Amino acid sequence: QVAVAPFVVRDLRDDSFNPTRGTWQSLVLRVAPGFLGTEVPIVKLVGQHSHYVPLPWQCNFRYALRAGWVRVIEGDEQVPIRERFFLGGRTSVRGFAENQIGPRAGESATSSGSPLGGDLSLSANVELELPLLLGLRGVVFRDAGGLYLQDRPIRLSDVREASGVGVRSKTPVGALVLDYGF
């Protein structure tokens, strides 16, 4: 698939691997039109904002907001599954298995099929980090997110939420992370 994908990234964090203050934003527009040889022409927009706030007593507050939108721009085909968004797992809504949030194939009252992904993705993460012993840091977090397909109604009841706790150990190349969400 051939696409044009201009992007903007603004990184004002104090450290790329272990940030404690600042913001990080990104916006990516991906256009894959039919005249470039794309089988299913699409337009995709993905944005993210993260904010790191230092607090008294060596505590830190963080939040991240993410949104994604994708549509077919020619014809009436569905967005290919490889272009859809997926939520659930350690990088989105902790407390859910990888890619387990959102619509499912063959979904009924008695069974649930494979994840279908979504054409619209909205998610948010909030966490408070506290000092523990021996250089370890504790985290309390709350995550939420929802996935939607363009041919199904958007309902707030489809938003999934999870809370949890975690432990962090900072290393020169980023934090070693252990989270448990429920």
Short mmCIF file of all heavy atoms in Angstrom, two decimals, residues 5 12 26 52 57 63 71 73-74 111 113-114 127 137 151 156-157 168 173 181:
data_model
loop_
_atom_site.label_atom_id
_atom_site.label_comp_id
_atom_site.label_asym_id
_atom_site.label_seq_id
_atom_site.Cartn_x
_atom_site.Cartn_y
_atom_site.Cartn_z
N ALA A 5 2.22 10.36 4.34
CA ALA A 5 1.95 10.44 5.77
C ALA A 5 2.71 11.58 6.43
O ALA A 5 3.70 11.35 7.15
CB ALA A 5 2.25 9.12 6.45
N LEU A 12 8.40 18.36 24.48
CA LEU A 12 8.91 19.32 25.46
C LEU A 12 9.16 18.64 26.81
O LEU A 12 9.13 19.29 27.86
CB LEU A 12 7.91 20.47 25.63
CG LEU A 12 7.65 21.30 24.37
CD1 LEU A 12 6.58 22.35 24.62
CD2 LEU A 12 8.93 21.96 23.87
N SER A 26 1.70 14.49 19.25
CA SER A 26 1.95 14.05 17.88
C SER A 26 0.64 14.06 17.11
O SER A 26 -0.43 13.86 17.68
CB SER A 26 2.57 12.65 17.84
OG SER A 26 1.63 11.68 18.23
N TYR A 52 3.27 15.48 31.66
CA TYR A 52 3.98 15.01 32.84
C TYR A 52 4.09 16.16 33.82
O TYR A 52 4.63 17.21 33.47
CB TYR A 52 5.38 14.51 32.45
CG TYR A 52 5.35 13.41 31.42
CD1 TYR A 52 5.21 13.72 30.06
CD2 TYR A 52 5.44 12.08 31.79
CE1 TYR A 52 5.18 12.73 29.10
CE2 TYR A 52 5.40 11.07 30.84
CZ TYR A 52 5.28 11.40 29.50
OH TYR A 52 5.23 10.41 28.56
N TRP A 57 6.98 15.98 47.21
CA TRP A 57 7.39 14.70 47.80
C TRP A 57 7.82 13.68 46.75
O TRP A 57 7.57 12.49 46.87
CB TRP A 57 6.30 14.12 48.69
CG TRP A 57 5.87 15.07 49.75
CD1 TRP A 57 6.62 15.55 50.80
CD2 TRP A 57 4.60 15.70 49.86
NE1 TRP A 57 5.88 16.43 51.54
CE2 TRP A 57 4.62 16.54 50.99
CE3 TRP A 57 3.43 15.64 49.11
CZ2 TRP A 57 3.55 17.30 51.38
CZ3 TRP A 57 2.35 16.40 49.50
CH2 TRP A 57 2.42 17.22 50.63
N TYR A 63 -0.84 12.15 32.42
CA TYR A 63 -2.04 11.74 31.69
C TYR A 63 -1.72 11.72 30.21
O TYR A 63 -0.83 12.42 29.72
CB TYR A 63 -3.25 12.64 32.00
CG TYR A 63 -3.20 14.02 31.43
CD1 TYR A 63 -3.66 14.28 30.13
CD2 TYR A 63 -2.70 15.09 32.16
CE1 TYR A 63 -3.63 15.56 29.61
CE2 TYR A 63 -2.67 16.36 31.64
CZ TYR A 63 -3.13 16.59 30.37
OH TYR A 63 -3.09 17.85 29.84
N ARG A 71 -11.08 6.34 7.52
CA ARG A 71 -12.22 6.17 6.63
C ARG A 71 -11.73 5.78 5.24
O ARG A 71 -10.64 6.17 4.81
CB ARG A 71 -13.03 7.46 6.47
CG ARG A 71 -13.85 7.84 7.67
CD ARG A 71 -15.03 6.88 7.86
NE ARG A 71 -15.87 7.29 8.94
CZ ARG A 71 -15.77 6.86 10.20
NH1 ARG A 71 -14.83 6.03 10.52
NH2 ARG A 71 -16.59 7.27 11.12
N ILE A 73 -11.90 6.43 1.40
CA ILE A 73 -12.19 7.67 0.68
C ILE A 73 -12.74 7.45 -0.72
O ILE A 73 -13.18 8.41 -1.34
CB ILE A 73 -10.95 8.59 0.62
CG1 ILE A 73 -9.73 7.88 0.05
CG2 ILE A 73 -10.65 9.16 1.98
CD1 ILE A 73 -8.50 8.75 -0.09
N GLU A 74 -12.71 6.23 -1.21
CA GLU A 74 -13.30 5.92 -2.52
C GLU A 74 -14.03 4.60 -2.41
O GLU A 74 -13.48 3.63 -1.90
CB GLU A 74 -12.21 5.81 -3.59
CG GLU A 74 -11.44 7.10 -3.83
CD GLU A 74 -10.24 6.88 -4.75
OE1 GLU A 74 -10.22 5.88 -5.51
OE2 GLU A 74 -9.33 7.71 -4.72
N SER A 111 -21.63 -15.94 22.68
CA SER A 111 -20.24 -16.12 22.24
C SER A 111 -19.66 -14.79 21.77
O SER A 111 -20.39 -13.86 21.45
CB SER A 111 -20.17 -17.13 21.10
OG SER A 111 -20.73 -16.58 19.93
N GLY A 113 -16.49 -13.43 19.10
CA GLY A 113 -15.51 -13.85 18.11
C GLY A 113 -14.23 -13.04 18.19
O GLY A 113 -13.91 -12.41 19.19
N SER A 114 -13.51 -13.03 17.09
CA SER A 114 -12.24 -12.32 17.00
C SER A 114 -12.46 -10.81 17.02
O SER A 114 -13.45 -10.31 16.50
CB SER A 114 -11.53 -12.69 15.70
OG SER A 114 -11.31 -14.07 15.65
N GLU A 127 -2.16 8.50 35.63
CA GLU A 127 -1.43 7.76 36.66
C GLU A 127 -0.71 8.70 37.61
O GLU A 127 -0.29 9.79 37.24
CB GLU A 127 -0.48 6.72 36.07
CG GLU A 127 0.57 7.19 35.14
CD GLU A 127 1.40 6.03 34.60
OE1 GLU A 127 0.84 5.01 34.14
OE2 GLU A 127 2.63 6.14 34.63
N ARG A 137 9.58 2.84 42.29
CA ARG A 137 8.46 3.79 42.28
C ARG A 137 7.17 3.00 42.15
O ARG A 137 7.10 2.04 41.40
CB ARG A 137 8.60 4.76 41.11
CG ARG A 137 9.98 5.33 40.92
CD ARG A 137 10.26 6.70 41.34
NE ARG A 137 9.27 7.70 41.07
CZ ARG A 137 9.11 8.75 41.87
NH1 ARG A 137 9.84 8.89 42.96
NH2 ARG A 137 8.22 9.66 41.58
N ASP A 151 -20.25 1.61 10.79
CA ASP A 151 -21.58 1.10 10.50
C ASP A 151 -22.36 0.69 11.75
O ASP A 151 -23.42 0.10 11.66
CB ASP A 151 -21.50 -0.09 9.52
CG ASP A 151 -20.72 -1.26 10.08
OD1 ASP A 151 -20.05 -1.09 11.13
OD2 ASP A 151 -20.76 -2.35 9.48
N LEU A 156 -21.77 5.43 24.65
CA LEU A 156 -20.86 5.61 25.77
C LEU A 156 -20.70 4.33 26.58
O LEU A 156 -19.67 4.12 27.22
CB LEU A 156 -21.33 6.75 26.67
CG LEU A 156 -21.11 8.15 26.11
CD1 LEU A 156 -21.66 9.20 27.06
CD2 LEU A 156 -19.64 8.41 25.85
N SER A 157 -21.69 3.46 26.54
CA SER A 157 -21.60 2.20 27.27
C SER A 157 -20.52 1.28 26.70
O SER A 157 -20.13 0.30 27.34
CB SER A 157 -22.95 1.48 27.28
OG SER A 157 -23.34 1.16 25.96
N ARG A 168 7.72 0.63 39.17
CA ARG A 168 8.66 1.10 38.16
C ARG A 168 10.07 1.08 38.74
O ARG A 168 10.27 1.44 39.89
CB ARG A 168 8.35 2.54 37.74
CG ARG A 168 6.93 2.82 37.30
CD ARG A 168 6.72 2.36 35.88
NE ARG A 168 5.41 2.77 35.36
CZ ARG A 168 4.30 2.08 35.50
NH1 ARG A 168 4.30 0.96 36.17
NH2 ARG A 168 3.17 2.49 34.97
N VAL A 173 17.77 3.41 29.86
CA VAL A 173 17.04 3.36 28.58
C VAL A 173 15.53 3.29 28.78
O VAL A 173 14.80 2.86 27.90
CB VAL A 173 17.51 2.17 27.72
CG1 VAL A 173 18.92 2.40 27.24
CG2 VAL A 173 17.37 0.87 28.47
N GLY A 181 -3.67 -4.48 36.17
CA GLY A 181 -4.93 -3.76 36.02
C GLY A 181 -6.11 -4.68 36.24
O GLY A 181 -6.04 -5.89 35.99
#
